[in-house]
Amino acid sequence: MTIDHVLINGGETLAAALKRCDDNCLGLVVAVDNGGRFAGVVEVGAIASSLASGGSLGARVDGLADKSARTLPAGADDATMAKALNGAVLPLLDADRRPVGLASAGRKRRIPVAEPVLSGNESRYVNECLTTNWISSQGAFVRRFESDFAQRIGAGHALAVSNGTVALHLALLALGVGKGDEVIVPDLTFAATINAAFYAGATPVIVDVDRTTWNIDPAAIAAAITPRSKAIIPVHLYGQPAAMDEILALARRHNLVVIEDAAEAVGARYNDKACGAIGDAGTFSFFSNKLVTTGEGGMVVFRDAEAAERARRLRDHGMDPKKRYWHLEIGYNYRLTNLQAAIGCAQLEQLDGFLARKMEIAARYAAGLGPIPHMTLPAKLPGLKNSHWAYSIIPDMARLGITRDELADRLERARIETRPLFYPLHAMPPYKPHAGNRAFPNTDWLSENGISLPSAVSLTDAEIDYICGVLARLHTTRRLVQDHRIA
Ligand SMILES: Cc1ncc(COP(=O)(O)O)c(C=O)c1O
């Protein structure tokens, strides 16, 4: 976004300014006089107020320009800019008061959806692996990571594995799910959830999600249960806990196992129990965009010691733990390295701080975005602690004439990275046959309209305020453009 995208001559009309606001995605213009000198800022909110009180779109821009709007000198250093900004977008003026640039939180960096924070003991522990030569999957950090993790979430048995996908595969195998069994999965999730069912030789059954929690709908599960049903995989999507009481009650009634896909939900709690430690098994991902990361990595936890033992054996080629190179069944190499576990141990030490920051980020977004009409934010429900791994919203811009993907493009131009919500599994070729003749209205709606905003622990308050400001102005701009049919 350069200054050219926001500049407008003060003699132009408000209609032209509005068009500019729409094109530049920032919802503001910077007016200049005929000599190119700063003549004030016009935010789209001022245009909205003027029109609401009978003003005309044919009026001159300079009539509405805020001449005393804050500006910064073109040579301002990073510290000065950071101090002045607080989420705002400010023109940078040269010595002759000509606007030559824009300062905003998006100028410093493209604000990422996620990024790891590795500022604890990560390098010290990894170095310890290097200097002691313990770099493969045998090493003290692997055992420490497993026991720290099990303790942290209150799980009986934890096994570190190569990633969150194989964690699901191991959980299914260790709990005896295989050929001929049906595994009920939500339509709105990452493909790993359903892929693992295929790896186990089972038959996935896709069901719709709940419109409020965005997680698997217990009523849809109940309707999909058949005599062949063997397992349910609720996913705690984006850190929001699934309806575990209802799911466990169904599982008990129909003798099903429950594997919680908590890949995105480390730190989330359901009625004060850690997500992932509530069902028969729980799985976690430590991919680099997750709250706790090991680069690639995962954990599978079990309630039952026997299932955990079976998973341990399968993780290591099905080898007899008492007899090296004697294989009791066909297994896999799903081990995590000591190097990765070293990073994981250091990450766990910081988890409380990470979670606290996630709560602050969510609260700041809620305050900034809450007043925007028709904006659906993550539901706050009694007894559920959302870990807010990805702060995701349904901005419902379709009613304002732009699709979710067009919104993402606009935010990208403002240097704000976003991520679409997952596509419905039932819509994708490999999974379509597993949708039966069920309807998926909630997943369809969420998937078409939902977007995840920057949610990294490293996000600053100024960045959040900037993102909220851009979204609010974008909303006002689109409303005016629609109402006044600006082409
Ligand atoms: C819901 C869900 N399940 C499973 C996985 C798989 O985890 P991994 O990428 O570590 O294999 C992910 C990862 O992104 C996920 O989001």
Side-chain angles (χ1 to χ4, degrees), residues 177-231:
V177 181
K179 202 167 164 24
D181 295 330
E182 288 179 353
V183 177
I184 301 174
V185 298
D187 196 19
L188 188 67
T189 181
F190 182 56
T193 315
I194 190 168
N195 284 346
F198 286 111
Y199 303 159
T203 305
V205 173
I206 306 167
V207 303
D208 203 7
V209 298
D210 176 81
R211 206 174 164 101
T212 306
T213 64
W214 314 356
N215 286 323
I216 196 163
D217 177 4
I221 299 174
I225 289 174
T226 74
R228 288 180 303 283
S229 302
K230 179 74 191 249

Short mmCIF file of all heavy atoms in Angstrom, two decimals, residues 177-231:
data_model
loop_
_atom_site.label_atom_id
_atom_site.label_comp_id
_atom_site.label_asym_id
_atom_site.label_seq_id
_atom_site.Cartn_x
_atom_site.Cartn_y
_atom_site.Cartn_z
N VAL A 177 -9.72 -49.76 16.08
CA VAL A 177 -10.59 -49.32 14.98
C VAL A 177 -9.92 -49.72 13.66
O VAL A 177 -8.74 -49.42 13.44
CB VAL A 177 -10.79 -47.79 15.02
CG1 VAL A 177 -11.72 -47.35 13.89
CG2 VAL A 177 -11.35 -47.36 16.37
N GLY A 178 -10.66 -50.39 12.79
CA GLY A 178 -10.07 -50.84 11.53
C GLY A 178 -11.12 -51.15 10.49
O GLY A 178 -12.20 -50.54 10.49
N LYS A 179 -10.78 -52.10 9.64
CA LYS A 179 -11.63 -52.45 8.49
C LYS A 179 -13.06 -52.80 8.93
O LYS A 179 -13.24 -53.51 9.93
CB LYS A 179 -11.00 -53.66 7.80
CG LYS A 179 -11.41 -53.82 6.37
CD LYS A 179 -10.49 -54.84 5.71
CE LYS A 179 -10.98 -55.39 4.39
NZ LYS A 179 -11.88 -54.68 3.60
N GLY A 180 -14.00 -52.25 8.22
CA GLY A 180 -15.41 -52.55 8.51
C GLY A 180 -16.02 -51.62 9.55
O GLY A 180 -17.23 -51.60 9.72
N ASP A 181 -15.15 -50.83 10.22
CA ASP A 181 -15.67 -49.91 11.25
C ASP A 181 -15.96 -48.54 10.65
O ASP A 181 -15.21 -48.06 9.79
CB ASP A 181 -14.62 -49.71 12.36
CG ASP A 181 -14.36 -51.00 13.12
OD1 ASP A 181 -15.29 -51.83 13.23
OD2 ASP A 181 -13.23 -51.17 13.60
N GLU A 182 -17.00 -47.91 11.16
CA GLU A 182 -17.30 -46.54 10.75
C GLU A 182 -16.79 -45.55 11.80
O GLU A 182 -16.93 -45.78 13.01
CB GLU A 182 -18.81 -46.35 10.55
CG GLU A 182 -19.30 -47.07 9.29
CD GLU A 182 -20.80 -46.95 9.06
OE1 GLU A 182 -21.51 -46.43 9.94
OE2 GLU A 182 -21.25 -47.41 8.01
N VAL A 183 -16.19 -44.47 11.29
CA VAL A 183 -15.62 -43.44 12.16
C VAL A 183 -16.31 -42.12 11.84
O VAL A 183 -16.24 -41.65 10.69
CB VAL A 183 -14.09 -43.32 11.93
CG1 VAL A 183 -13.51 -42.20 12.79
CG2 VAL A 183 -13.40 -44.63 12.23
N ILE A 184 -16.97 -41.55 12.82
CA ILE A 184 -17.75 -40.33 12.57
C ILE A 184 -16.86 -39.10 12.78
O ILE A 184 -16.25 -38.94 13.84
CB ILE A 184 -18.99 -40.30 13.49
CG1 ILE A 184 -19.85 -41.54 13.20
CG2 ILE A 184 -19.80 -39.02 13.28
CD1 ILE A 184 -21.03 -41.72 14.12
N VAL A 185 -16.79 -38.27 11.74
CA VAL A 185 -15.91 -37.08 11.78
C VAL A 185 -16.71 -35.84 11.38
O VAL A 185 -17.68 -35.94 10.64
CB VAL A 185 -14.70 -37.24 10.82
CG1 VAL A 185 -13.83 -38.42 11.21
CG2 VAL A 185 -15.15 -37.37 9.36
N PRO A 186 -16.28 -34.68 11.86
CA PRO A 186 -16.97 -33.44 11.47
C PRO A 186 -16.60 -33.03 10.05
O PRO A 186 -15.49 -33.29 9.59
CB PRO A 186 -16.46 -32.41 12.48
CG PRO A 186 -15.13 -32.93 12.90
CD PRO A 186 -15.18 -34.43 12.80
N ASP A 187 -17.54 -32.35 9.39
CA ASP A 187 -17.32 -31.87 8.03
C ASP A 187 -16.30 -30.73 8.00
O ASP A 187 -15.58 -30.56 7.03
CB ASP A 187 -18.68 -31.38 7.49
CG ASP A 187 -18.69 -31.21 5.99
OD1 ASP A 187 -17.82 -31.79 5.32
OD2 ASP A 187 -19.57 -30.49 5.49
N LEU A 188 -16.27 -29.95 9.09
CA LEU A 188 -15.39 -28.78 9.12
C LEU A 188 -14.16 -29.10 9.96
O LEU A 188 -14.19 -29.02 11.19
CB LEU A 188 -16.14 -27.58 9.73
CG LEU A 188 -15.41 -26.24 9.65
CD1 LEU A 188 -15.28 -25.76 8.21
CD2 LEU A 188 -16.12 -25.17 10.48
N THR A 189 -13.11 -29.49 9.28
CA THR A 189 -11.86 -29.81 9.97
C THR A 189 -10.75 -29.87 8.94
O THR A 189 -10.99 -29.84 7.73
CB THR A 189 -11.94 -31.15 10.73
OG1 THR A 189 -10.69 -31.38 11.41
CG2 THR A 189 -12.20 -32.33 9.80
N PHE A 190 -9.51 -29.98 9.43
CA PHE A 190 -8.39 -30.22 8.54
C PHE A 190 -8.45 -31.67 8.07
O PHE A 190 -8.89 -32.56 8.80
CB PHE A 190 -7.08 -29.94 9.28
CG PHE A 190 -5.85 -30.12 8.44
CD1 PHE A 190 -5.70 -29.42 7.25
CD2 PHE A 190 -4.84 -30.97 8.82
CE1 PHE A 190 -4.58 -29.58 6.46
CE2 PHE A 190 -3.71 -31.14 8.05
CZ PHE A 190 -3.58 -30.45 6.86
N ALA A 191 -8.00 -31.91 6.84
CA ALA A 191 -8.14 -33.22 6.21
C ALA A 191 -7.52 -34.36 7.02
O ALA A 191 -7.93 -35.52 6.88
CB ALA A 191 -7.53 -33.18 4.82
N ALA A 192 -6.54 -34.05 7.87
CA ALA A 192 -5.87 -35.11 8.63
C ALA A 192 -6.87 -35.94 9.44
O ALA A 192 -6.68 -37.15 9.61
CB ALA A 192 -4.82 -34.50 9.57
N THR A 193 -7.92 -35.30 9.93
CA THR A 193 -8.88 -36.00 10.78
C THR A 193 -9.50 -37.17 10.02
O THR A 193 -9.59 -38.29 10.53
CB THR A 193 -10.00 -35.03 11.24
OG1 THR A 193 -9.42 -33.81 11.66
CG2 THR A 193 -10.83 -35.63 12.36
N ILE A 194 -9.91 -36.92 8.79
CA ILE A 194 -10.57 -37.97 8.01
C ILE A 194 -9.53 -38.90 7.37
O ILE A 194 -9.73 -40.11 7.28
CB ILE A 194 -11.53 -37.38 6.95
CG1 ILE A 194 -12.38 -38.49 6.32
CG2 ILE A 194 -10.82 -36.57 5.89
CD1 ILE A 194 -13.55 -37.98 5.48
N ASN A 195 -8.39 -38.33 6.98
CA ASN A 195 -7.37 -39.17 6.35
C ASN A 195 -6.93 -40.30 7.28
O ASN A 195 -6.72 -41.42 6.85
CB ASN A 195 -6.15 -38.32 5.96
CG ASN A 195 -6.42 -37.50 4.71
OD1 ASN A 195 -7.39 -37.72 3.99
ND2 ASN A 195 -5.56 -36.52 4.45
N ALA A 196 -6.83 -39.98 8.57
CA ALA A 196 -6.38 -41.00 9.53
C ALA A 196 -7.35 -42.18 9.55
O ALA A 196 -6.93 -43.34 9.71
CB ALA A 196 -6.25 -40.38 10.92
N ALA A 197 -8.64 -41.91 9.40
CA ALA A 197 -9.62 -43.00 9.38
C ALA A 197 -9.35 -43.92 8.18
O ALA A 197 -9.40 -45.15 8.30
CB ALA A 197 -11.04 -42.45 9.33
N PHE A 198 -9.02 -43.30 7.02
CA PHE A 198 -8.68 -44.12 5.84
C PHE A 198 -7.41 -44.94 6.11
O PHE A 198 -7.35 -46.11 5.76
CB PHE A 198 -8.44 -43.22 4.61
CG PHE A 198 -9.68 -42.63 4.03
CD1 PHE A 198 -9.93 -41.27 4.11
CD2 PHE A 198 -10.61 -43.43 3.38
CE1 PHE A 198 -11.07 -40.71 3.55
CE2 PHE A 198 -11.76 -42.88 2.81
CZ PHE A 198 -12.00 -41.52 2.90
N TYR A 199 -6.40 -44.30 6.72
CA TYR A 199 -5.15 -45.03 6.97
C TYR A 199 -5.42 -46.29 7.81
O TYR A 199 -4.79 -47.32 7.64
CB TYR A 199 -4.12 -44.20 7.75
CG TYR A 199 -3.71 -42.87 7.15
CD1 TYR A 199 -3.15 -41.89 7.97
CD2 TYR A 199 -3.87 -42.59 5.80
CE1 TYR A 199 -2.77 -40.67 7.45
CE2 TYR A 199 -3.49 -41.36 5.28
CZ TYR A 199 -2.94 -40.40 6.11
OH TYR A 199 -2.57 -39.18 5.61
N ALA A 200 -6.39 -46.15 8.74
CA ALA A 200 -6.69 -47.28 9.64
C ALA A 200 -7.54 -48.34 8.92
O ALA A 200 -7.86 -49.37 9.51
CB ALA A 200 -7.41 -46.77 10.88
N GLY A 201 -7.93 -48.06 7.68
CA GLY A 201 -8.74 -49.02 6.93
C GLY A 201 -10.22 -48.92 7.26
O GLY A 201 -11.02 -49.74 6.81
N ALA A 202 -10.59 -47.91 8.06
CA ALA A 202 -11.98 -47.74 8.47
C ALA A 202 -12.74 -46.91 7.43
O ALA A 202 -12.15 -46.40 6.47
CB ALA A 202 -12.03 -47.07 9.83
N THR A 203 -14.03 -46.78 7.65
CA THR A 203 -14.87 -46.00 6.74
C THR A 203 -15.32 -44.72 7.43
O THR A 203 -16.06 -44.78 8.41
CB THR A 203 -16.13 -46.82 6.36
OG1 THR A 203 -15.70 -48.06 5.82
CG2 THR A 203 -16.98 -46.08 5.34
N PRO A 204 -14.88 -43.57 6.94
CA PRO A 204 -15.32 -42.33 7.59
C PRO A 204 -16.77 -42.00 7.26
O PRO A 204 -17.24 -42.31 6.17
CB PRO A 204 -14.39 -41.27 7.02
CG PRO A 204 -13.58 -41.91 5.98
CD PRO A 204 -13.95 -43.33 5.84
N VAL A 205 -17.42 -41.36 8.21
CA VAL A 205 -18.80 -40.90 8.02
C VAL A 205 -18.78 -39.42 8.41
O VAL A 205 -18.52 -39.08 9.57
CB VAL A 205 -19.77 -41.69 8.93
CG1 VAL A 205 -21.16 -41.11 8.86
CG2 VAL A 205 -19.77 -43.16 8.53
N ILE A 206 -19.05 -38.57 7.41
CA ILE A 206 -18.94 -37.12 7.66
C ILE A 206 -20.28 -36.58 8.14
O ILE A 206 -21.31 -36.88 7.54
CB ILE A 206 -18.54 -36.39 6.36
CG1 ILE A 206 -17.26 -37.00 5.76
CG2 ILE A 206 -18.35 -34.90 6.61
CD1 ILE A 206 -16.98 -36.55 4.33
N VAL A 207 -20.25 -35.77 9.21
CA VAL A 207 -21.49 -35.15 9.68
C VAL A 207 -21.28 -33.64 9.86
O VAL A 207 -20.15 -33.16 9.95
CB VAL A 207 -22.00 -35.78 11.01
CG1 VAL A 207 -22.21 -37.27 10.86
CG2 VAL A 207 -21.08 -35.47 12.17
N ASP A 208 -22.40 -32.92 9.93
CA ASP A 208 -22.34 -31.46 9.99
C ASP A 208 -21.88 -30.99 11.39
O ASP A 208 -21.89 -31.76 12.36
CB ASP A 208 -23.72 -30.86 9.68
CG ASP A 208 -23.63 -29.41 9.18
OD1 ASP A 208 -22.51 -28.92 8.96
OD2 ASP A 208 -24.70 -28.78 9.02
N VAL A 209 -21.52 -29.73 11.45
CA VAL A 209 -21.10 -29.13 12.72
C VAL A 209 -22.21 -28.23 13.26
O VAL A 209 -23.17 -27.91 12.56
CB VAL A 209 -19.79 -28.32 12.57
CG1 VAL A 209 -18.65 -29.24 12.14
CG2 VAL A 209 -19.95 -27.15 11.60
N ASP A 210 -22.01 -27.81 14.50
CA ASP A 210 -22.94 -26.91 15.16
C ASP A 210 -22.63 -25.46 14.72
O ASP A 210 -21.46 -25.10 14.60
CB ASP A 210 -22.74 -27.08 16.67
CG ASP A 210 -23.58 -26.12 17.47
OD1 ASP A 210 -24.76 -26.40 17.65
OD2 ASP A 210 -23.03 -25.08 17.90
N ARG A 211 -23.67 -24.68 14.53
CA ARG A 211 -23.47 -23.32 13.99
C ARG A 211 -22.87 -22.38 15.03
O ARG A 211 -22.28 -21.35 14.69
CB ARG A 211 -24.83 -22.79 13.51
CG ARG A 211 -24.73 -21.75 12.41
CD ARG A 211 -26.13 -21.43 11.94
NE ARG A 211 -26.19 -20.20 11.18
CZ ARG A 211 -26.24 -20.14 9.86
NH1 ARG A 211 -26.24 -21.24 9.14
NH2 ARG A 211 -26.31 -18.98 9.24
N THR A 212 -23.02 -22.71 16.31
CA THR A 212 -22.48 -21.82 17.34
C THR A 212 -21.03 -22.15 17.70
O THR A 212 -20.18 -21.27 17.75
CB THR A 212 -23.35 -21.92 18.62
OG1 THR A 212 -24.69 -21.66 18.25
CG2 THR A 212 -22.90 -20.94 19.68
N THR A 213 -20.76 -23.45 17.95
CA THR A 213 -19.39 -23.80 18.36
C THR A 213 -18.49 -24.10 17.16
O THR A 213 -17.29 -24.16 17.30
CB THR A 213 -19.39 -25.05 19.25
OG1 THR A 213 -19.88 -26.16 18.48
CG2 THR A 213 -20.24 -24.86 20.49
N TRP A 214 -19.09 -24.36 16.00
CA TRP A 214 -18.40 -24.75 14.77
C TRP A 214 -17.83 -26.18 14.88
O TRP A 214 -17.06 -26.62 14.04
CB TRP A 214 -17.28 -23.78 14.37
CG TRP A 214 -17.63 -22.33 14.43
CD1 TRP A 214 -18.85 -21.78 14.72
CD2 TRP A 214 -16.77 -21.21 14.18
NE1 TRP A 214 -18.81 -20.41 14.67
CE2 TRP A 214 -17.53 -20.03 14.35
CE3 TRP A 214 -15.42 -21.09 13.84
CZ2 TRP A 214 -17.00 -18.76 14.19
CZ3 TRP A 214 -14.89 -19.82 13.69
CH2 TRP A 214 -15.67 -18.67 13.86
N ASN A 215 -18.17 -26.86 15.95
CA ASN A 215 -17.67 -28.22 16.19
C ASN A 215 -18.75 -29.25 15.91
O ASN A 215 -19.93 -28.91 15.81
CB ASN A 215 -17.18 -28.35 17.63
CG ASN A 215 -15.86 -27.63 17.83
OD1 ASN A 215 -15.01 -27.65 16.95
ND2 ASN A 215 -15.70 -27.00 18.98
N ILE A 216 -18.34 -30.50 15.85
CA ILE A 216 -19.25 -31.60 15.48
C ILE A 216 -20.54 -31.51 16.30
O ILE A 216 -20.52 -31.28 17.50
CB ILE A 216 -18.53 -32.97 15.64
CG1 ILE A 216 -19.28 -34.07 14.91
CG2 ILE A 216 -18.29 -33.32 17.11
CD1 ILE A 216 -18.45 -35.34 14.69
N ASP A 217 -21.66 -31.69 15.59
CA ASP A 217 -22.98 -31.52 16.19
C ASP A 217 -23.45 -32.86 16.76
O ASP A 217 -23.63 -33.82 16.00
CB ASP A 217 -23.93 -31.03 15.08
CG ASP A 217 -25.36 -30.90 15.56
OD1 ASP A 217 -25.61 -31.10 16.76
OD2 ASP A 217 -26.23 -30.58 14.72
N PRO A 218 -23.66 -32.95 18.09
CA PRO A 218 -24.07 -34.23 18.67
C PRO A 218 -25.34 -34.80 18.03
O PRO A 218 -25.46 -36.01 17.87
CB PRO A 218 -24.29 -33.90 20.15
CG PRO A 218 -23.44 -32.70 20.40
CD PRO A 218 -23.44 -31.93 19.11
N ALA A 219 -26.27 -33.93 17.63
CA ALA A 219 -27.50 -34.43 17.01
C ALA A 219 -27.17 -35.08 15.66
O ALA A 219 -27.77 -36.10 15.28
CB ALA A 219 -28.49 -33.29 16.82
N ALA A 220 -26.22 -34.50 14.95
CA ALA A 220 -25.83 -35.07 13.65
C ALA A 220 -25.10 -36.40 13.86
O ALA A 220 -25.24 -37.33 13.05
CB ALA A 220 -24.93 -34.09 12.90
N ILE A 221 -24.33 -36.50 14.94
CA ILE A 221 -23.67 -37.79 15.25
C ILE A 221 -24.75 -38.84 15.49
O ILE A 221 -24.72 -39.94 14.92
CB ILE A 221 -22.78 -37.69 16.52
CG1 ILE A 221 -21.67 -36.66 16.33
CG2 ILE A 221 -22.20 -39.06 16.86
CD1 ILE A 221 -20.83 -36.42 17.60
N ALA A 222 -25.71 -38.48 16.37
CA ALA A 222 -26.76 -39.44 16.74
C ALA A 222 -27.47 -39.97 15.49
O ALA A 222 -27.75 -41.17 15.38
CB ALA A 222 -27.75 -38.78 17.70
N ALA A 223 -27.71 -39.06 14.55
CA ALA A 223 -28.44 -39.46 13.34
C ALA A 223 -27.59 -40.34 12.43
O ALA A 223 -28.14 -41.04 11.56
CB ALA A 223 -28.90 -38.21 12.59
N ALA A 224 -26.28 -40.30 12.60
CA ALA A 224 -25.39 -41.04 11.68
C ALA A 224 -24.94 -42.39 12.25
O ALA A 224 -24.24 -43.14 11.57
CB ALA A 224 -24.18 -40.18 11.35
N ILE A 225 -25.31 -42.68 13.49
CA ILE A 225 -24.84 -43.92 14.12
C ILE A 225 -25.54 -45.14 13.48
O ILE A 225 -26.74 -45.12 13.26
CB ILE A 225 -25.06 -43.87 15.65
CG1 ILE A 225 -24.08 -42.87 16.26
CG2 ILE A 225 -24.87 -45.25 16.28
CD1 ILE A 225 -24.28 -42.61 17.75
N THR A 226 -24.73 -46.14 13.16
CA THR A 226 -25.26 -47.40 12.59
C THR A 226 -24.65 -48.55 13.40
O THR A 226 -23.75 -48.33 14.23
CB THR A 226 -24.83 -47.58 11.11
OG1 THR A 226 -23.44 -47.92 11.10
CG2 THR A 226 -25.08 -46.33 10.28
N PRO A 227 -25.06 -49.77 13.14
CA PRO A 227 -24.44 -50.90 13.86
C PRO A 227 -22.94 -51.01 13.59
O PRO A 227 -22.21 -51.66 14.34
CB PRO A 227 -25.19 -52.12 13.30
CG PRO A 227 -26.49 -51.57 12.77
CD PRO A 227 -26.19 -50.19 12.30
N ARG A 228 -22.45 -50.40 12.51
CA ARG A 228 -21.01 -50.49 12.20
C ARG A 228 -20.19 -49.36 12.84
O ARG A 228 -18.97 -49.35 12.77
CB ARG A 228 -20.80 -50.47 10.68
CG ARG A 228 -21.23 -51.75 9.98
CD ARG A 228 -21.01 -51.69 8.48
NE ARG A 228 -21.70 -50.54 7.88
CZ ARG A 228 -23.01 -50.48 7.63
NH1 ARG A 228 -23.78 -51.51 7.94
NH2 ARG A 228 -23.56 -49.42 7.09
N SER A 229 -20.88 -48.40 13.47
CA SER A 229 -20.13 -47.27 14.07
C SER A 229 -19.19 -47.78 15.15
O SER A 229 -19.57 -48.62 15.97
CB SER A 229 -21.10 -46.26 14.71
OG SER A 229 -22.00 -45.78 13.75
N LYS A 230 -17.97 -47.25 15.15
CA LYS A 230 -17.00 -47.71 16.15
C LYS A 230 -16.35 -46.54 16.89
O LYS A 230 -15.96 -46.66 18.05
CB LYS A 230 -15.91 -48.53 15.41
CG LYS A 230 -14.81 -49.07 16.29
CD LYS A 230 -15.28 -50.24 17.12
CE LYS A 230 -14.25 -50.62 18.18
NZ LYS A 230 -13.63 -51.90 17.94
N ALA A 231 -16.23 -45.40 16.21
CA ALA A 231 -15.49 -44.29 16.85
C ALA A 231 -16.07 -42.94 16.42
O ALA A 231 -16.67 -42.81 15.35
CB ALA A 231 -14.02 -44.35 16.45
#
